Structure formats: structure tokens, C-alpha cells
Amino acid sequence: MKAGVSLAPWNVTDQKIPQGRLALFSYVSAALVLLLLVGFWKLQVVQSEHYADLADKNGIRPIAIIAPRGAMLDRDGRVLVDSYPSFSILLMRDNPKLLEKSLPQIEDGLGISGEDLHQQLEAAKFEPKFLPLVVKPAASDADIEFVESHRADLPVLELEMVQRRRYPLGEMLANTIGYVGEVSPQDLEKNPDKYKPGDIVGKAGLEREYNDQIVGTDGMKRVVVNSIGRVIRTLDNIDAIPGKPIQLTIDEDIQRIADTDMADKQGAVIAMNGHTGEILAMVSRPTFDPNDFAIRIPPQEWNALNRDPNTPLLNRAIQAQLAPGSTFKIIMATAMLESKAIPAEFTAYCPGEAVFYGRVFHCWQPKGHGAVDLHSGIVHSCDVFFYNVGQRLGIDKIAHYAMGLGLGRRTGIDLPAEEPGLMPTEEWVQRVYHHKWYAGETISVAIGQGAVMVTPIQLARAYDAVATGGTLVQPHLLKDADLKVEHFPLADETVERVTQGMYDVINEGGGTGYALRLQDVDFSGKSGTAQVMSYQAGAKVGGRAGKLTNGWFVGYAPRRNPDIVVAAVVQGSTEHGGTTAGPVVRDIVKAYYDKKNGRFVQPSTAENLQPSHVVPVADPEAEAQSR
Amino acid sequence: MKDRPQVQDFDWPLLGIVGAICLLGLLEIYSSTHASAMAGMQWKQLMWIGIGIIGMFLISQIDYHTLLDQAPVLYLVGLVGLLGVLVIGYSRLGAKRWISVGGQTLQVSELMKLIIIIVLARYFTEVRTDRLTLRDLAKVAALTLVPVALILKQPDLGTAMVLVPVALVGAFFAGIEWKHAAVGLLLIALLVPLAWNMRHHLKPYQQQRIETFLHPEQDQRGAGYQILQSEIAVGSGGFWGKGFGKGSQNQLGFVPVRYSDFILAALAEEQGFIGVCVVLLLYLALILRLVDNAQKAKDRAGMYVVMGVTAILGFHVLVNASMVIGYMPVTGIPLPLMSYGGSATAFVFLALGLVMNVRMRRFVN
């Protein structure tokens, strides 16, 4: 190079290099590097554990291994409910481009309509992108194979193993067993340690009541995933502990008889062991198929079930609060004898109607029953006799005995949402309606109408209590539950008279249940036919609707200290309780003894269920004439 | 006294430091990509280093005074190139940054970095004062901001920003008055909030970057995700690191662009705080060595050239390392010599070529 180049006019080397400022630059650089190192130190040394934890959460994904819920067995060990593993197909939505591209192939492969798929994606649009969409809740073997064989080219599909509930009995026992579903946000909030989102829990019935017993412990698999969520390898595996099975007191044979008898009816049946309170059968109709809930119930179907005016989700055996009608007369009889307010030999004359407090009260038998004592009052279900008893006792005495025998309060059965029913008292009317009790109301209550409301299970227990001299067992469905007993002691004389009456309802010619009698069985009971509307309202409505009744029959055997007590109610019929509910009770009691004596034959179909060995059922008129 | 500059006069200790940094970079690129579809990237990077070394040698052969003589021409060529990018450039990832030269895509803005070093060195030399007037400063600002504006238009905020420190560092050595410096700093302090209020004029992705820099945790799957994942990788590396090829965040792909802009995060995870210390101290050694070259330059022109290079490299390291630990937003500024990238790597070697150029001629008359 020539020196001349460096002497270009712009470059006169008369200036010194600014050594001071260069040195300052070095110091500043060193200081900045030091500052950066402090920054790294903070992350890598001070907060290193926090970030190591985040790193683990990043790359290590815990996958729950769902534990199957425990089965439910009947008293003989037959399976009523169990679980089975199934696969759901998930659609990952975190890569919209890939997703869009894969859709046509998925539609073909899984047989889902494109419209349906787009609708689902649209519905999930505002949910977080990393939440997958369940496109097939119950994948078939072919579906699973499709996903497995397209792992490479359809990475948006994932399989997830789930445990599903299976209810082999279908509708039978549905309201008692209940159903399962995803844990609700409310439950999650209440028990954040117990549940996690998406957990399947019992929502109703026994599934809910014994959820904690039958629920298993979910296992966990920890897998290493990469940044797009692909599983690289499994780190460790904690197996799920399946839930324990529970044994119920239900007898599938008896349940089946009860269920078939009630198949086309609306109402409820409860069959209970009179000594222990074990529930042998429980029916509520109309009902639903819990298998519909096992996978995922479509919202339309769920809404339809909820809005159905026939309330199929209601367990009528413990939740229907109904007027007991004439079945209440047994409580009246017990109250009359126990209170000693009226002599045991009290007789009333029944001309078919009677006037109390300026109002006419009819007997169900317009012709009248003539002179009626307690025994014939029970056997022929004379209303006028019990009007008189009611008037003489007064509402508070009636309520004392009714509630003592368990009416108007919960029985404590091991099911959620049992209803208490209602036994009115003077105090209750004052408290709720702020007026005095109308004495005329007592007359209605005396025959199980008016304000009194009971549930079928209360009636079954109350009859058992009367027949055992005041032992109230707590009904239960879990086989190894402790026997819980309440005492409301009744005089033996009372028990003898009342049970004799109930025995003769069935076994004395002219009794309202004479048609139901059984050979070799001390079958006793009482029918009841409660108006859905009052006489006046019914007359106004007129026609069939005005005459709709709830037909009751509570029966048990033997006469004292029953082995089995059965309460049945058939709603919305125009017939007498002895005609509608009576045969149901009779069939169950018969099946119980047939089974006990080794003569039980399982009816194979519903057709041959109307057994030939029973006497044809009489209607109320016929009963009246045979009196 | 020699009368010819020779290759023996290259700054071999400086090249030793550069070699060490390159080697660490290649190893980390290998570690980050060997198990993926991008395996073998380290060889491409090595090729670029080779090309860069040739470029370094070539540029050292032309006397920097000659280059400075041609500064106005180079400046014009640079501006035309940047305009060309805007008109006929290539779009990649929504930004026009490349033009095609003989089948190879070239990032003109990288070239502009070299040109601005030369142009400003020429200007500061020519001003020949120890007290820059406001007029002088205005000219410096104009020279710098025209290409900055063109690069911003591409849009490439990162590269545009990189030109600014060349002017600032140059002004510092040309004798900026303390009161001007103070006013300038004050202005910047005022302008940043103003610019913040003007952010709606930024491109959406730039808004997003600033937004997520301020609130990384609010948007875990978006751009804030990158900062967070980078911090997780760095933090989980701990003091000793997880070992070469064993960084789970790196290997599983949680570290964003782990072979390029976030290579320091990948290295921090696998080599720990110790590894970061080695890297940052190597960069500090590089800078100090560059300053040493500036101190020994034959004339002010040489010093400005060397310090221009130093300013750019130092700024890259500072911004990149700060971004990795979440101290600055994601701007797409790579770590020189370590991050994978052809144009960026070639630029560093060409810039070092300028430094060698100055050093070789310090004893030549």
C-alpha cells in the first residue's frame, strides 16, 4: 500500500486514539457480562428447583389409569352392575392446520359424518385448544384398529381407555341403582382433594350413596412427551386399584317378578324383609335405562328425561309422596286401640255417608256398611267408621301414632334424596299456613286423604312395625349393613286385633282383598284407593280424569312378625288398589315363599307371568256385593 | 517496520477465541438437532464458517482506507439493495428479507451492517473533532436511520436495531459531549414509552412480542410460550447442566428454535451455569481483544472500524443472552458465531476480516 492512500483528504492522522474511552468501554462490557451472569445465576442456581419442576411438568405427562368401579351383586351374588374397559377416540385440536387436513380421512375411517364432526368442532371452539375432543366415546374394534394403523399419518387421533358401567338388568332397578356421570363443578369445588375434573362419580341412587366404597383408586402412568405431545416412552406405572364390589339385599328373582308385574304401570313397589329391613325388591315406574348414561347421554335425551311429566328419574318407592288412602286405616286402628281414647268395642253405624262439622263425608260404599266395629271396619274398609274414630281422636293423637310408626318422616334407607312425606299436626298448620287446624280436615286424614302424605317405603315399614308390636327396622340395601331398630312399643292386644283385621282382609269372605289369598301362607294386608283429587275437584273435572286414583296395597306374611312386607302403589288408574296393586304384592309374597320352600320357578317370559294359580281379581263393586 | 501486511499479522489469539465459540456452537447445534429431521445441520454451519473464513481473508486484503474511500458508493449500493429487497424480495414467514443472487438467497440487511460500519467510520474520521456538535450528531442520525427505516419496513426489527449501536459507540469515541449524551439518554427514556403508546402502528407480530415480553405467563401457547420455555430450559439446567445431549427441554423440542436464536438456552440446559460462564466469558474475551485491537489501531479510522464491529457483536450477545433469560423481548437477534444461520455467520467473519485488515496495517506506513 502506498502511504498516499492513508493521507486521503478525509483521513488526517492528527487525532490520538481515545484510550480512556476505550478502557471505559471494556469496563462497561465486563460489567454487562457480569450482569448477564447474575441473570443466569438467578435462574440456574437460585430458582433452579422451580424450573426443574416446570421442566418435568413440561416433558412428563401423567396419564390416569382409570380404576373400574366395583360391581353390585344381588343377595345371591348375581351381578346387577359391573364395569368394563372401553376406548374413546380423542381428536387433538392444538394444530388446526393438521386437523383440517386430516378431517376427510377421519370421517371415512371412523364413519362419522363431516357435518357432525364440524358441528362438534364448532361447539368446542371456545374451549382451550389443548383439550381434545371426544369424537367416538365407545370405539369399536375396527375403530381402534383404524387409529392404531394410522398413528403416523393421523397424529391428531388418540385412544383413551375408560371404564364404563354396564347394567345387565337394564331398566330393572334403575332408580335404585342410579347412574354415573362426570363429577359436577360444585362437587369439585367442595372436594378438590377427592375429585379431579372428568372423574366419573355416582350421580344418583346407590351409585351415589356408595360411591366411596365402590370407587377404585386410579392408577397413574407417567410418560415422556415431546413438545407436540407425542409419547416418547413410559417412565413408570402405578396400577389402578379396582373398586370393591358391594353386595345388595336385592333378590334378583323377586325383583324380576315385581318388575314384570309393574312393567306397564305407573307407580312403585317395595319389598322388605320384616325382621332385618333388607330390601328385597324395589320398583319405580316409569323408569329409564341407566346404560344410556354409561357412555355419554346426549343433552337432548337428558333434557327429555328431566322434563318428562311422568318423571322417570324419580324413585317413587322413596320419593313419591302420596295420600295413603285406606291403608292409613291400620294406623288409625292402632291409634284408637293404643290411645284408649275410644273403647275397643266402639261401633259406628254406616249409612253410606255421615255429616261432620256441617259437611257430608261419603263412604266408598254408597249403600253403607250398617253397624261397623273395628274388625269389620278394617276388613271392609268402612270410611264412616274411621271418620268417627278420627273425630274422636283429633289430629294430634293421630299424628303421634302415625309418626311413631314412621310416617311423615324419612326411614333412613341408604339412598340419597329420600322424601319425608307429611303428617300434619295443629302446630304444623299454624307454622306453615298461619291458621288454626280445621277440625273437618281430621275427618279426611282419618281415611288417608287430605294433608297426609307418605312414601311407599314408609308404609311398608309402618305395617311391619304394627305386625311386630312396634319394632321399626331401618330399611337398607347394603347386605352387610348393621341392623338399626327403633321402638314404638304397642300393646299385644292392639297388635292382635289389628293384625287379625288385616289377615281377614284377605282371608275372610267379603274382605277387600279376599281375591288375593294364598295357599299355605298367612298373607295379610290392607288395600287403599286414594283419590288424586278431592271429591269436589273430581266432580268438577268429571269423566275418567276426575276419578283417577292411586291404588295401594300393603301386604305381608305371616300375620305376626312378618318375614316379608310389600307395599305397592299403582298410580293413575280408575280402579281399586286391591285390584291394581294387590296382585303385585301377592305375586311377590308368593314368589318369596316359593323360593324359600324350593318351589320357585323363574318365569321365562312376561307372557306366562300372569300365573294361572291365582283367583281372578274382583273389582270394588264385586267386593261390595260379596259383603 | 514491514512494508507489506501479512497473514502472519492476523490476530491469532482472537481467532482462537472465535474458533472456541464456533466449536461450542457446532456441538450444541449437533446436540439440538441430531435426533430430529434436521440432523446434520452442524455440517451446513461448518460450511458457512468456511465460507466466512475465506471472506475474512479476502476482505483483509483490501486496505480499509480504500474501503473507506468508497464509503459513499457502498452506502448507495446498500440502500439500493434494501430497496430492491422491498420491491423484488423474497417472502419467508411473512417478512421480505431476502433477494436471490445467482440461485442463493442473500440477506441484504446483513451486508448493510458491514456497510454502516464503514460509512460511519469514514464520517467520524472526517469530522475530525473531539467535540461533536448537534449538527454532526444529526448527520450521524440521518446516515443511520435511513437504512434502519428500510430494514424496519421488511420488517426486521432485530437487524434494524443492530445498526443503532454502531452510531452510538462511534459517537462516543468521536467525542460526544456528556450533556448531549445525557439528553440523548433522556430522549430514549422518553421515546420508549411514547413508542409503546404508538405500538398500534407496529406489525401485529411485533405488538405480540412486546405484549408477551411484558406478560409471558398470560399466553402460554403463543409467543410468551417461547420466553417461558427458554427460561424453563435455562433454569432446569442448574449449576452443572444435564449433560451433552441430555437436556430434556432441548431434546424434546420445548426450547424454541433451539439450534438458532435460542441456542444459548439449549446450551444452558445441557451445560449448566458453568457452560454459560464459559460462553459468556469467551464473548467478553472476544470483545476485550477487539478493544485491544482498537487501542493499537494505526489511526482513528481503524479504531472506528474495529469498534463498529465490536459494537454490533457486543449488542448481539447482550440482546440475545438477555432474551434467553427473559430480560428482553424476542426480537430475532441470533448469538453470533453460535446460532445456526448462513448470512449471520458469514457477516461475523467478514466483520472480523475488517478487524484483521486494521490490525495487519498498524505497522505499515
Side-chain angles (χ1 to χ4, degrees), chain B residues 103-149:
Chain B
Q104 275 288 344
T105 56
L106 188 74
Q107 219 174 322
V108 182
S109 50
E110 292 293 337
L111 209 58
M112 195 65 214
K113 290 190 208 165
L114 281 179
I115 293 172
I116 205 77
I117 291 169
I118 291 166
V119 167
L120 288 177
R122 162 81 185 263
Y123 179 79
F124 285 123
T125 312
E126 213 171 341
V127 166
R128 208 182 310 152
T129 172
D130 278 329
R131 282 174 173 236
L132 289 173
T133 62
L134 275 178
R135 219 183 139 81
D136 299 330
L137 285 175
K139 284 183 191 165
V140 170
L143 282 174
T144 314
L145 291 181
V146 172
V148 164

Side-chain angles (χ1 to χ4, degrees), chain A residues 10-11 16 21 44 58 227, chain B residues 69 172 229 249 252 300:
Chain A
W10 52 268
N11 188 22
K16 291 208 175 84
R21 291 198 177 197
Q44 299 195 276
N58 233 344
S227 60
Chain B
D69 260 340
F172 174 66
Q229 292 302 333
Q249 305 304 292
L252 296 173
R300 277 221 165 186

Side-chain angles (χ1 to χ4, degrees), chain A residues 1 9-13 15-16 18-19 21-22 25-26 37 39 41 43-44 48 51 55 58 225-227, chain B residues 63 65 68-69 122 126 128-129 172 229 231 234-235 238 249 252-254 268 273 291 295 299-300 303 327:
Chain A
M1 289 287 148
W10 52 268
N11 188 22
V12 179
T13 52
Q15 281 184 290
K16 291 208 175 84
Q19 299 293 348
R21 291 198 177 197
L22 282 170
F25 185 92
S26 300
L37 284 176
W41 174 271
L43 288 184
Q44 299 195 276
S48 141
Y51 283 108
N58 233 344
V225 297
N226 65 10
S227 60
Chain B
D63 190 327
H65 297 100
L68 264 59
D69 260 340
R122 162 81 185 263
E126 213 171 341
R128 208 182 310 152
T129 172
F172 174 66
Q229 292 302 333
E231 286 178 15
V234 171
Q249 305 304 292
L252 296 173
F254 288 103
F273 183 68
V291 173
Q295 285 173 325
D299 48 22
R300 277 221 165 186
M303 179 207 70
Y327 284 13

Side-chain angles (χ1 to χ4, degrees), chain A residues 185-443:
Chain A
Q186 292 91 321
D187 285 345
L188 262 178
E189 216 165 277
K190 264 187 263 167
N191 293 305
D193 304 329
K194 200 160 125 192
Y195 302 123
K196 53 186 190 303
D199 274 358
I200 298 296
V201 296
K203 291 292 216 184
L206 291 167
E207 291 277 24
R208 183 187 177 99
E209 182 76 19
Y210 290 114
N211 186 63
D212 292 354
Q213 269 100 311
I214 56 182
V215 81
T217 310
D218 287 351
M220 204 184 31
K221 185 163 80 169
R222 292 195 310 152
V223 296
V224 178
V225 297
N226 65 10
S227 60
I228 54 166
R230 265 316 88 207
V231 174
I232 307 292
R233 64 175 187 279
T234 302
L235 277 185
D236 50 18
N237 204 335
I238 306 164
D239 286 333
I241 305 165
K244 290 192 188 69
I246 54 173
Q247 188 165 31
L248 304 182
T249 57
I250 295 289
D251 184 322
E252 193 190 320
D253 297 323
I254 293 179
Q255 176 72 32
R256 207 172 275 281
I257 300 281
D259 217 76
T260 324
D261 272 12
M262 291 294 289
D264 51 351
K265 300 187 175 82
Q266 198 177 83
V269 179
I270 185 113
M272 182 178 88
N273 179 312
H275 310 293
T276 60
E278 291 177 352
I279 303 296
L280 302 172
M282 191 183 253
V283 180
S284 177
R285 288 279 171 171
T287 184
F288 59 94
D289 187 346
N291 287 304
D292 293 346
F293 292 78
I295 291 174
R296 169 176 295 187
I297 186 157
Q300 312 85 280
E301 224 169 286
W302 169 246
N303 288 337
L305 274 175
N306 263 305
R307 291 202 198 116
D308 190 330
N310 293 322
T311 58
L313 294 177
L314 191 77
N315 185 351
R316 287 157 201 263
I318 61 162
Q319 292 178 311
Q321 308 180 90
L322 306 167
S326 299
T327 59
F328 193 71
K329 287 169 185 164
I330 296 308
I331 283 60
M332 291 299 295
T334 308
M336 166 185 149
L337 295 172
E338 279 292 298
S339 71
K340 301 199 165 40
I342 309 165
E345 311 309 329
F346 170 74
T347 306
Y349 181 78
C350 171
E353 60 180 43
V355 176
F356 295 95
Y357 310 106
R359 209 187 112 192
V360 178
F361 288 83
H362 296 271
C363 185
W364 69 268
Q365 174 54 273
K367 293 177 198 156
H369 289 103
V372 180
D373 65 356
L374 180 68
H375 185 265
S376 67
I378 294 173
V379 173
H380 303 120
S381 198
C382 176
D383 289 340
V384 170
F385 178 81
F386 284 102
Y387 292 147
N388 279 290
V389 174
Q391 187 202 21
R392 284 163 176 77
L393 285 175
I395 190 65
D396 281 1
K397 268 209 185 83
I398 298 171
H400 171 72
Y401 290 98
M403 289 179 87
L405 292 168
L407 299 187
R409 59 190 172 100
R410 295 185 177 88
T411 63
I413 187 173
D414 45 354
L415 278 177
E418 184 191 1
E419 293 290 353
L422 177 69
M423 187 60 228
T425 59
E426 285 184 29
E427 182 272 329
W428 173 81
V429 165
Q430 191 65 48
R431 179 160 46 82
V432 178
Y433 292 110
H434 309 294
H435 64 67
K436 281 186 82 84
W437 177 260
Y438 301 130
E441 267 291 288
T442 311
I443 309 303

